[in-house]
């Protein structure tokens, strides 16, 4: 990780997802790592800090989340748009190595879990799976409690995103067909 | 509604939320309407089209969703940033009229439900509540099946958002403290 990574207080972890970025979900089990792209993620609570993410039944990463009870949410930036598309273009089920090795992605284990934290992202949330079999089976909905959170302080500090002057670090918001929106100007409302 | 509103095929309704906008959730029961601002919303399926939203226990709109079994997700735009903050600044529990009357908001019932569709938004999803008492009680998580969807064709057509030239119609992505990000430039990846 680079020298800009700072811990985010757990009560503020939801702010990392509040503006709706597309994320990369990672997990590891018995040495095999998985990573998938997920536009369908959401903060659902701040105390305790909880998030939810949709993991398709056929995804390899899902099987690792179920086996390990841990996952990480990595928030990628504009500089990683191609990486996000690449990891979404192939299934870990179809690879002989893991997807990190296959694509040459650098990552390291988290502090509270071994789920990989991808280098170059602008935020990371380490999560413990809250087992909810009905949601997982019926809706592919996985709920996690955030156990640690980090962000790149060039673009997130004091609980706020501030991307001005850092276009390559802006978060990605997926539309379709390989197209993302990055974040735009700030709008401040004072009532 | 204005002349730019077009129906969105149900299978593409998730695209309206895919990029992570902050939304306004509306509902009506026995003539009383409610509206609240929700950054915590997510598409969870495209077939059948389903969405999820967090509705706090003390919100008046939540009681209307529970009573009516219907709600609408309205996607507001930059021109409505102050409206989004205003509706979030007061509870329907504390008003003698409904929040639409209180703030002078114009809305009309949907096609498949009576939940109000707010004028000036850029997309709308009408939803039928899928009753999940455990999720609603434990996580404040409400799941809906989308029964109709619409968007403003100046910024959404053929299943894609395209905001260029329409800054006032860009969606809002809430940070904190009255600050939103609007959408920025498109990033197209071709592998």
């Amino acid at each position: 990780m680079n020298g800009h990574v700072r811990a985010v207080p757990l009560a503020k972890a939801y702010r990392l997802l509040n503006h709706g970025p597309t994320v990369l979900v990672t997990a590891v089990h018995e040495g095999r790592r998985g990573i998938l792209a997920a536009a369908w993620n959401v903060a659902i609570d701040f105390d305790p800090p909880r998030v939810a993410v949709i993991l398709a039944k056929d995804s390899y990463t899902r099987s690792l989340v179920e086996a390990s009870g841990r996952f990480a949410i990595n928030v990628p930036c504009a500089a990683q748009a191609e990486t996000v598309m690449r990891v979404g273009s192939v299934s870990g089920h179809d690879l002989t190595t893991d997807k990190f090795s296959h694509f040459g992605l650098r990552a390291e284990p988290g502090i509270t879990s071994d789920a990989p934290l991808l280098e170059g992202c602008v935020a990371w949330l380490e999560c413990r799976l809250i087992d909810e079999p009905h949601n997982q089976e019926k809706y592919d909905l996985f709920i996690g409690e955030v156990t640690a959170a980090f962000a790149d302080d060039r673009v997130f500090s004091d609980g706020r995103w501030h991307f001005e002057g850092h276009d390559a670090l802006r978060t990605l918001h997926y539309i379709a067909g390989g197209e993302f929106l990055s974040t735009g100007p700030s709008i401040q409302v004072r009532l």
Side-chain angles (χ1 to χ4, degrees), chain A residues 15-16 19 21 75-78 122-123 152-157 160-173 182-186:
Chain A
R15 299 268 183 94
L16 300 171
H19 68 307
V75 182
C77 61
V122 288
D152 187 310
D153 69 358
R154 289 172 291 180
V155 290
F156 186 94
S157 58
R160 304 282 188 102
W161 288 105
H162 41 78
F163 295 108
E164 301 74 20
H166 295 286
D167 285 350
L169 300 181
R170 288 182 182 273
T171 49
L172 296 165
H173 302 254
S182 65
T183 62
S186 162

Side-chain angles (χ1 to χ4, degrees), chain A residues 47-138:
Chain A
D47 182 22
R50 288 178 178 149
V51 298
V53 64
I54 301 296
L55 302 176
K57 286 197 173 51
D58 59 356
S59 81
Y60 184 70
T61 300
R62 172 174 171 152
S63 67
L64 300 176
V65 173
E66 291 173 323
S68 67
R70 296 287 186 281
F71 61 95
I73 291 179
N74 305 257
V75 182
C77 61
Q80 296 171 300
E82 187 173 315
T83 295
V84 176
M85 291 309 298
R86 283 199 188 282
V87 303
S89 70
V90 60
S91 170
H93 287 299
D94 301 327
L95 298 175
T96 52
T97 62
D98 76 19
K99 223 185 267 189
F100 290 79
S101 303
H102 185 76
F103 290 118
L105 303 177
R106 294 168 60 100
E108 56 187 58
I111 307 298
T112 61
S113 114
D114 289 332
L117 306 184
L118 180 65
E119 282 195 13
C121 287
V122 288
W124 303 263
L125 297 91
E126 301 183 17
C127 302
R128 176 183 65 78
L129 179 65
I130 299 173
D131 205 34
E132 288 280 2
H134 170 71
N135 284 331
Q136 293 163 210
E137 283 309 304
K138 180 166 183 186

